[in-house]
Amino acid sequence: MSHYRRRAGLCAPLIFTPFLRVMMGCFWLYFSATAFAQAPASSLSSSQRTNPNFVLVPDRGNVSVLKLDDQLRVGKPISDNQALTFTFSDSIEGIVDREMKLKGRAQIRRNDTVLKANEIIYHPDTDIADLIGNVEMIKGNSTFRGPKASFKVDARQGEMQEPSYEIRDNRSSGKAKKLTIQSSDIFVFDKGTYSTCSPDNLDWYFTADRMEVDNEQKEMTGTNGVMRFFDVPIAYTPYFSLPTSNQRRSGLLAPIAGYSSNNGIDITQPYYFNIAPNRDLLIMPRYMTFRGTQLGGSYRYIDPKYSGTVAAEYLPYDKILGRDRWKYDWQQRQSIAPTWNAYANIARVSDNLYPIDFSRTLAGGITNQFRQEVGTTSLIKGWNVSARAMTFQTLQPDPTVTVQSPYNVLPQVVAAYNSQNALLTPDRRQQFVSLPTGPQVSFSSDFTRFAYNIGGNLAATAPGVFSQADRTVVKAAVGMPKITPGYYIKPRLSVQSNNYNATAFIPGYPPAQGFTIPTFSLDSGLAFEREAAELKGFFGRDMLVTMEPRAFYVFTPFQDQTNTPLFDTANAGFGITQIFSENTFVGNDRIADNNKLTMGVTSRMIEAATGAERANLTLAQRQDFTGQRVGLTNTIQNPTTYSDTLGAGSVRLMGNFNVDAFGQYNTQLNRLVQTTVGGSWRPTMGRSLNFGYRNVWSPPVSASPENNLAGSPGVTTTDQYNISGQWPITRKISTLGRWGYDSLTMNTLNLLAALEYKEDCWTGRFAYSQVRNTTQITTTQVLFQIEFRGFGAAGSNPVDIMRLNVPGYMPTTRTLPPSIYENYQ
């Protein structure tokens, strides 16, 4: 038998691939483990025994010799059973076909699997490698360590005694009495532990009699699992299945538990079904001590041509109200053709108080209207054609406040043409930017049938005197804008014609009146810019200051619209945007008479290098030359001829300090009638302070925009404050809070006090919330949650309520996913 002994230090460096050039500092000896078992020593020439540029490769029982560079040059993934096996050690000795010993920094590599030990003894006849001392096995993002191990190299099976492990996909680790490797991707632990805590700070850990980790499916299963928190057992399960990555999989989700004044102790245990890559189902049984057991679910689906969600909740018998209660919600988007889409949004609840009683979020609790709508849209050579049918369910949770339900739309058909859209192909519509110059022509036709069904709405009052009506609206407009970097001018002429065929609740009521009204508008502006060297010391960088005056004139002749019904129209309000608009109403049932000139100026402070806006200020005032006579409900007899002055400003300073302010000053009454101030400071992530104030003063009835400005003093209708913030007390403890107060009623509108405690591998959250839903109902919630990183959570998640109450709230930072270079070998 031939014997040999070789020192790795005598090997010449390999220079065949870029990877090997990086590793030139180490001297490698490459052998095929399969070749060890098949190739007798006599089959090796002397040059092959000593030349590291050759690797032994099995080929149907024969041994072929190929250059290493030829094997690695292809650049395609190689399966484990076809991949080469590389070895490395300080020294190697033994008999080729009996026993090979790798000593000192010994390694065996195949694909993404690496075996390391102080000494590796390989037996070619059994294909078993015994690893002794500081054993380490690396497979993908998983690492296993122990004092000794034994592996079948080709079968990729083996055992390790007293192993410790680390799975970097979810930053978990643990140890066991024994590790059994059943295949290249399946690892079985006897008497194992699991945790995402660092080994020296094991606040929580999970133990099991048997744990099986499937590295390909990214999951871990086991039996007799016990959850321990600070060494105290808190949960037991005879069988468990957990993900070891962020991939979707079926199974129990963390339970949701809490307390509210509406439902008592509230516990939900979700179960998730991963039906297919584009389908999933969430089942949510929920038990409430005050009300009973509710079953809820949500089904999601997505395909190339459609996607949607179907959700439903059902409580067979409410112990408090003594009846069944339910909710359903269906949303779908459908692509019929490249430029033809359809959609459906349908939701209803069983009663007025359902959102208040059962909603888990603040936004859901204040919802008082549910829509049932189906429709379709199509784009054809500049034409946008759409059709929809829409009904409403309007809730009235507060009996002291009457909520009017809007008219149902059964149906609405709209065809609109825009000359700019006609120039675009369908695949470029998403990149559409308004053309700066040239003629612009638009046309639209809108047919809508309005119907009001008192029995189908929970609101008690109708929005108007007509029970049903057909309305046809035709609009046409032509414009000739001229836009340059220094100025713009946009003349526009439009006309709108309305026709009605309506049936009134009251017999003999005057018929609905239509109209045809033209409008002319001229919008113009200038843009001046200069370098502001005086601001560099304040902002710390080069700044630009702009001055942008704007003039907007609109003329619309008066036409009496007293007998024109109201179906979908309301006042647009009064603000910076509305003051530069052609119509003071939103909707198609009113056209305001205008002979108005609005003058305004905006100044901005801009970073010269980035274009980021650091501050802006806008002042605007509108002059009514004849006064507006068209009101929302009647004709104004003595209209005013001078509008309020508006001012708005915002500041964005370094350190994320922001202030926004808006004011409306009435020149006739010589006072502010609307004031809004908001500010925030967010120096770093997890630190934020917010303040808001809103005051609205309404003039007396005789001084409203539809009458004279004389009369008794007005009243303040809104005077509210909001304070919120998130701030860490220590490195681990962070506080959150919000307080909303109405000084008119002297009531707290909403209150939130929350606390977050973060450790290395778990986070605790506590929140107390109080919300005044109506004048008679105040909901109180107590939420508590413990989140174990990479494992799950227990309790009721207060994160949603924190986001809604605290602008800028940042949840506890989650661990970043592992880098592909983190386990680089």
Side-chain angles (χ1 to χ4, degrees):
M1 233 18 107
S2 299
H3 299 264
Y4 66 87
R5 180 180 180 87
R6 183 170 178 82
R7 292 282 183 183
L10 302 177
C11 291
L14 307 182
I15 57 173
F16 292 98
T17 66
F19 172 77
L20 295 176
R21 294 190 190 103
V22 175
M23 305 301 294
M24 285 178 62
C26 297
F27 299 115
W28 296 79
L29 185 62
Y30 299 85
F31 293 91
S32 168
T34 309
F36 287 159
Q38 296 181 359
S42 59
S43 66
L44 298 177
S45 66
S46 59
S47 62
Q48 293 169 356
R49 292 194 189 107
T50 58
N51 189 348
N53 297 348
F54 293 88
V55 173
L56 302 180
V57 183
D59 184 12
R60 297 181 182 178
N62 299 321
V63 176
S64 59
V65 180
L66 300 175
K67 282 188 176 182
L68 179 64
D69 192 39
D70 294 335
Q71 295 294 304
L72 301 180
R73 180 182 297 157
V74 179
K76 296 180 180 179
I78 304 174
S79 60
D80 277 352
N81 59 353
Q82 295 179 341
L84 302 178
T85 300
F86 302 142
T87 67
F88 165 78
S89 63
D90 290 339
S91 66
I92 180 171
E93 61 183 25
I95 302 173
V96 172
D97 55 355
R98 290 189 180 180
E99 183 179 271
M100 310 295 299
K101 292 184 178 180
L102 308 176
K103 294 185 177 181
R105 297 183 296 170
Q107 298 182 22
I108 297 178
R109 295 169 174 263
R110 176 180 290 180
N111 267 0
D112 62 344
T113 302
V114 182
L115 302 178
K116 296 181 179 182
N118 293 340
E119 181 179 357
I120 300 178
I121 302 175
Y122 177 71
H123 305 277
D125 53 344
T126 60
D127 193 37
I128 293 178
D130 293 324
L131 284 71
I132 303 171
N134 296 320
V135 178
E136 183 176 0
M137 188 189 79
I138 302 171
K139 172 66 176 177
N141 276 330
S142 301
T143 302
F144 307 88
R145 298 180 179 89
K148 61 179 181 179
S150 178
F151 294 96
K152 288 186 176 181
V153 178
D154 279 345
R156 294 175 291 284
Q157 299 174 350
E159 295 180 350
M160 180 182 291
Q161 303 300 320
E162 303 293 335
S164 63
Y165 69 91
E166 181 181 2
I167 302 175
R168 292 182 179 83
D169 284 333
N170 62 349
R171 310 287 181 179
S172 63
S173 62
K175 57 184 179 180
K177 184 176 181 180
K178 180 182 177 182
L179 165 65
T180 301
I181 302 175
Q182 295 183 351
S183 69
S184 61
D185 290 306
I186 297 179
F187 311 97
V188 179
F189 298 92
D190 292 337
K191 303 296 183 182
T193 67
Y194 174 90
S195 179
T196 57
C197 300
S198 59
D200 57 347
N201 187 26
L202 210 61
D203 291 347
W204 72 267
Y205 59 94
F206 191 79
T207 63
D209 289 346
R210 182 181 184 274
M211 293 193 308
E212 180 179 308
V213 177
D214 191 327
N215 211 29
E216 181 179 4
Q217 298 298 324
K218 301 295 184 183
E219 67 176 350
M220 178 175 66
T221 59
T223 57
N224 293 329
V226 178
M227 181 71 180
R228 287 178 168 84
F229 190 45
F230 289 101
D231 291 326
V232 177
I234 61 174
Y236 168 79
T237 177
Y239 174 81
F240 64 89
S241 177
L242 302 170
T244 59
S245 70
N246 294 326
Q247 296 178 359
R248 291 165 36 197
R249 59 187 303 276
S250 299
L252 287 171
L253 301 181
I256 303 171
Y259 175 85
S260 73
S261 57
N262 286 335
N263 303 324
I265 298 175
D266 192 341
I267 301 174
T268 303
Q269 177 55 70
Y271 190 91
Y272 178 78
F273 292 92
N274 184 24
I275 301 173
N278 60 338
R279 300 282 191 278
D280 65 6
L281 174 65
L282 182 65
I283 301 296
M284 301 184 68
R286 180 181 184 183
Y287 175 73
M288 297 160 283
T289 55
F290 291 174
R291 299 187 181 275
T293 302
Q294 180 192 67
L295 181 63
S298 175
Y299 174 66
R300 299 187 302 177
Y301 51 94
I302 182 171
D303 272 285
K305 289 192 174 182
Y306 64 89
S307 63
T309 302
V310 178
E313 298 172 352
Y314 179 67
L315 177 63
Y317 180 79
D318 189 332
K319 297 177 183 178
I320 297 178
L321 299 183
R323 64 171 183 265
D324 297 351
R325 305 184 72 182
W326 48 262
K327 174 186 177 182
Y328 63 82
D329 188 351
W330 173 42
Q331 299 182 23
Q332 177 157 332
R333 300 293 180 268
Q334 180 83 39
S335 176
I336 302 174
T339 59
W340 185 12
N341 301 316
Y343 65 91
N345 295 318
I346 299 176
R348 285 188 75 89
V349 294
S350 59
D351 54 83
N352 283 318
L353 297 177
Y354 191 95
I356 295 176
D357 291 342
F358 298 109
S359 186
R360 291 185 175 89
T361 64
L362 178 63
I366 61 176
T367 301
N368 62 8
Q369 191 173 89
F370 291 86
R371 177 184 299 186
Q372 303 86 49
E373 180 181 0
V374 294
T376 180
T377 62
S378 180
L379 298 173
I380 307 172
K381 295 183 179 180
W383 285 89
N384 187 339
V385 181
S386 64
R388 67 174 179 171
M390 181 169 52
T391 61
F392 297 91
Q393 180 190 19
T394 302
L395 310 183
Q396 189 151 342
D398 191 343
T400 64
V401 179
T402 300
V403 180
Q404 290 186 347
S405 176
Y407 279 93
N408 296 328
V409 175
L410 301 169
Q412 180 183 36
V413 180
V414 179
Y417 173 81
N418 191 307
S419 60
Q420 298 180 31
N421 289 343
L423 301 176
L424 300 175
T425 58
D427 58 337
R428 293 186 57 199
R429 293 188 190 278
Q430 297 299 326
Q431 304 175 0
F432 171 62
V433 178
S434 297
L435 299 177
T437 58
Q440 297 179 3
V441 178
S442 62
F443 172 85
S444 68
S445 177
D446 179 332
F447 171 81
T448 307
R449 170 163 290 180
F450 295 98
Y452 190 80
N453 179 13
I454 295 180
N457 295 279
L458 300 180
T461 61
V465 297
F466 295 97
S467 60
Q468 180 175 317
D470 294 341
R471 184 189 70 188
T472 303
V473 179
V474 177
K475 297 180 181 179
V478 60
M480 185 67 72
K482 175 66 175 179
I483 301 176
T484 69
Y487 71 93
Y488 66 88
I489 182 168
K490 300 178 181 179
R492 185 174 184 269
L493 178 63
S494 62
V495 62
Q496 176 174 331
S497 179
N498 284 24
N499 183 55
Y500 297 87
N501 182 13
T503 302
F505 284 112
I506 305 173
Y509 192 84
Q513 172 189 350
F515 57 77
T516 299
I517 302 175
T519 297
F520 171 76
S521 67
L522 179 64
D523 192 5
S524 60
L526 301 172
F528 300 97
E529 180 182 290
R530 71 174 180 87
E531 296 181 357
E534 68 276 9
L535 296 177
K536 185 174 182 179
F538 183 76
F539 288 98
R541 57 199 65 189
D542 293 332
M543 301 294 294
L544 301 175
V545 173
T546 69
M547 185 67 67
E548 305 167 30
R550 181 181 181 182
F552 179 79
Y553 175 75
V554 57
F555 176 79
T556 304
F558 169 76
Q559 185 170 336
D560 186 9
Q561 299 166 47
T562 304
N563 293 328
T564 301
L566 287 172
F567 294 115
D568 59 358
T569 303
N571 279 309
F574 197 58
I576 294 296
T577 302
Q578 291 79 13
I579 201 172
F580 289 100
S581 62
E582 293 182 349
N583 196 4
T584 59
F585 302 104
V586 176
N588 287 321
D589 294 318
R590 288 291 183 274
I591 300 294
D593 58 312
N594 289 309
N595 185 12
K596 304 171 183 177
L597 175 64
T598 303
M599 302 292 291
V601 62
T602 298
S603 180
R604 311 175 198 270
M605 298 180 186
I606 303 172
E607 291 185 13
T610 65
E613 187 176 283
R614 289 298 176 184
N616 68 71
L617 176 65
T618 299
L619 295 174
Q621 189 178 61
R622 184 169 60 197
Q623 172 67 57
D624 293 351
F625 296 111
T626 57
Q628 179 179 323
R629 298 175 60 191
V630 176
L632 186 64
T633 58
N634 59 359
T635 298
I636 303 173
Q637 299 301 321
N638 298 298
T640 61
T641 58
Y642 212 88
S643 74
D644 295 347
T645 300
L646 301 182
S650 64
V651 178
R652 305 285 184 268
L653 299 180
M654 304 303 173
N656 288 327
F657 180 79
N658 306 320
V659 176
D660 296 276
F662 170 80
Q664 177 182 349
Y665 183 79
N666 189 294
T667 55
Q668 282 79 16
L669 300 174
N670 195 28
R671 65 163 297 160
L672 285 168
V673 297
Q674 185 177 178
T675 304
T676 303
V677 179
S680 67
W681 181 41
R682 301 170 189 172
T684 59
M685 291 182 60
R687 287 179 169 86
S688 66
L689 295 175
N690 310 285
F691 170 78
Y693 172 71
R694 177 174 171 79
N695 180 279
V696 178
W697 183 87
S698 294
V701 175
S702 58
S704 65
E706 301 180 4
N707 297 282
N708 287 324
L709 292 175
S712 60
V715 295
T716 299
T717 58
T718 303
D719 194 45
Q720 297 178 353
Y721 300 83
N722 274 292
I723 301 174
S724 64
Q726 175 187 13
W727 204 265
I729 299 176
T730 66
R731 185 179 63 87
K732 297 181 179 181
I733 301 176
S734 180
T735 58
L736 296 95
R738 178 187 175 99
W739 179 57
Y741 181 74
D742 189 335
S743 63
L744 298 181
T745 61
M746 301 181 67
N747 288 323
T748 294
L749 300 177
N750 50 70
L751 176 67
L752 172 70
L755 188 73
E756 276 191 326
Y757 180 85
K758 180 183 180 299
E759 280 289 353
D760 171 59
C761 56
W762 65 276
T763 301
R765 299 184 179 96
F766 171 83
Y768 172 84
S769 172
Q770 192 177 78
V771 179
R772 193 174 183 85
N773 303 98
T774 70
T775 58
Q776 299 179 348
I777 300 177
T778 298
T779 301
T780 301
Q781 286 182 296
V782 178
L783 307 174
F784 179 75
Q785 181 191 53
I786 298 179
E787 179 183 357
F788 302 102
R789 175 169 60 84
F791 188 78
S796 186
N797 186 3
V799 171
D800 289 339
I801 216 168
M802 292 174 177
R803 283 198 182 102
L804 289 169
N805 280 273
V806 183
Y809 165 68
M810 297 294 296
T812 303
T813 304
R814 298 185 180 272
T815 305
L816 295 175
S819 166
I820 59 174
Y821 302 106
E822 183 174 324
N823 196 34
Y824 183 77
Q825 294 288 324

